């Protein structure tokens, strides 16, 4: 596809697997050309593209580490040079480095906060400038219930995910008049690699619905927030967590 094409374009960070892959697939199903970002999972990202194509959609895998400003800018500039608009950005990339705060190595603090918050800065700023030129766009960032209630053993992750909410609410107010909406989805426990080490049997009792969520259940909410059906929704946090509080 070339830049003369008026295709709708979505960027999803960390979209090789898990929730990001489900979001990429969901957006492609409603007609977006999807830039599937990955950092290490190249094969998984290529598999996401294959799944998109199998459903009749289109997209491309894009390698960049959201914490690396230079690498991120180069990849986004390349995309911007080929597409007139970026309609949707989903900040999904995230990591955990759990442990009690009093024992937490500095690196574990910085890596988690950097991925979520510096990653948000590095990707969202250039994309917003592109969206602002057309006075149109939607940004959705994936936070967590940890950012709302604080999870024991996740001070770094809870701080990062709460920060994402603060940044998104501030940004929503700044760009509302530019036709850009900024929202947050806060999942509870979702069945992905991120929770494969988590002992779920004990935790299911804390979920009123009694089960973990599926990535597709998050992706559908993201798709809604990106759509014109959500045209009057901005600066909001939508929980997708089976009723957890
Ligand atoms: P996964 O571990 O399956 O996926 C995380 C994704 O983030 C991977 O695709 C990974 O890419 C990407 N990523 C990590 N660091 C970077 C980076 N520096 N640059 C680019 N991409 C990066 O987990 P989930 O799918 O579960 O997580 C998706 C999001 O949902 C995260 O933000 C997570 O915090 C959030 N979340 C998840 C919950 C859950 O229960 N699963 C609950 C609440 C929130 P790669 O593999 O290429 O390195």
């Amino acid at each position: 596809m070339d830049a003369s094409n008026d295709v709708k374009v979505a960027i999803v960070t960390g979209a090789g697997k898990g929730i990001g892959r489900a979001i990429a697939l969901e957006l492609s199903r409603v007609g977006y050309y999807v830039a599937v970002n990955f950092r290490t999972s190249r094969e998984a990202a290529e598999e996401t593209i294959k799944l998109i194509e199998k459903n009749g959609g289109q997209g491309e895998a894009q390698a960049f580490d959201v914490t690396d400003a230079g690498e991120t800018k180069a990849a986004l500039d390349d995309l911007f040079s080929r597409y007139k608009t970026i309609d949707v950005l989903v900040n999904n990339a995230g990591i955990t480095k759990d442990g009690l705060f009093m024992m937490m190595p500095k690196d574990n603090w910085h890596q988690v906060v950097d991925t979520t918050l510096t990653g948000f800065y590095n990707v969202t700023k250039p994309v917003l400038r592109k969206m602002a030129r057309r006075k149109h766009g939607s940004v959705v960032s994936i936070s967590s219930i940890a950012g709302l209630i604080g999870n024991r053993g996740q001070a770094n992750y809870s701080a990062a995910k709460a920060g994402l909410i603060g940044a998104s609410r501030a940004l929503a107010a700044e760009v509302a008049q530019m036709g850009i909406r900024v929202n947050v989805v806060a999942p509870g426990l979702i069945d992905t690699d991120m929770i494969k080490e988590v002992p779920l049997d004990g935790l299911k009792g804390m979920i009123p619905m009694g089960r973990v969520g599926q990535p597709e259940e998050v992706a559908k909410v993201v798709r809604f927030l990106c759509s014109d059906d959500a045209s009057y929704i901005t600066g909001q946090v939508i929980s997708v967590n089976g009723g957890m509080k």
Side-chain angles (χ1 to χ4, degrees):
M1 271 189 209
D2 61 41
S4 62
N5 215 314
D6 269 331
V7 66
K8 293 190 295 178
V9 179
I11 301 171
V12 185
T13 65
K17 57 191 187 134
I19 295 171
R21 172 183 280 181
I23 293 169
L25 289 173
E26 189 66 31
L27 292 175
S28 78
R29 263 194 283 272
V30 291
Y32 289 93
Y33 178 89
V34 186
V36 170
N37 160 252
F38 67 94
R39 176 191 47 160
T40 54
S41 304
R42 177 179 291 279
E43 276 180 25
E46 283 165 359
E47 181 61 27
T48 303
I49 298 295
K50 278 194 195 139
L51 293 169
I52 286 174
E53 290 172 350
K54 206 171 136 198
N55 288 339
Q58 284 183 304
E60 65 185 62
Q62 273 216 335
F64 61 90
D65 180 335
V66 298
T67 66
D68 184 324
E71 207 175 288
T72 302
K73 184 177 182 307
L76 292 176
D77 282 348
D78 170 55
L79 196 66
F80 296 168
S81 72
R82 290 179 289 120
Y83 291 95
K84 280 185 190 161
T85 69
I86 302 297
D87 301 271
V88 162
L89 166 63
V90 183
N91 289 303
N92 167 77
I95 58 167
T96 51
K97 296 264 173 194
D98 295 351
L100 293 176
F101 182 72
M102 291 219 281
M103 328 283 189
M104 187 177 286
K106 201 171 169 184
D107 267 3
N108 289 10
W109 176 269
H110 283 296
Q111 283 173 27
V112 170
V113 171
D114 263 10
T115 304
T116 294
L117 292 181
T118 310
F120 174 88
Y121 177 87
N122 287 341
V123 182
T124 308
K125 192 175 163 195
V127 171
L128 272 182
R129 291 167 84 100
K130 177 96 173 167
M131 288 176 169
R133 282 202 281 277
R134 293 222 144 196
K135 294 204 175 305
H136 164 79
S138 172
V139 177
V140 177
S141 298
I142 308 302
S143 178
S144 166
I145 189 166
L148 294 170
I149 62 171
N151 275 352
R152 186 175 180 276
Q154 291 196 310
N156 49 359
Y157 186 72
S158 302
K161 293 301 192 180
L164 195 56
I165 292 172
S168 298
R169 284 186 168 145
L171 196 55
E174 289 181 22
V175 300
Q177 304 255 341
M178 296 177 196
I180 302 169
R181 296 181 298 102
V182 182
N183 290 292
V184 174
V185 171
L189 283 166
I190 308 297
D191 186 14
T192 70
D193 287 353
M194 187 170 272
I195 64 160
K196 67 175 185 240
E197 315 274 297
V198 175
L200 291 176
D201 284 344
L203 287 173
K204 278 185 190 158
M206 292 164 55
I207 308 171
M209 287 182 73
R211 65 170 179 88
V212 298
Q214 293 304 311
E216 294 72 23
E217 294 178 290
V218 179
K220 286 177 182 162
V221 177
V222 173
R223 188 247 300 141
F224 164 70
L225 286 172
C226 295
S227 75
D228 287 344
D229 289 343
S231 54
Y232 200 49
I233 302 179
T234 196
Q236 303 305 309
V237 182
I238 312 287
S239 289
V240 182
N241 64 21
M244 288 172 90
K245 288 200 172 72

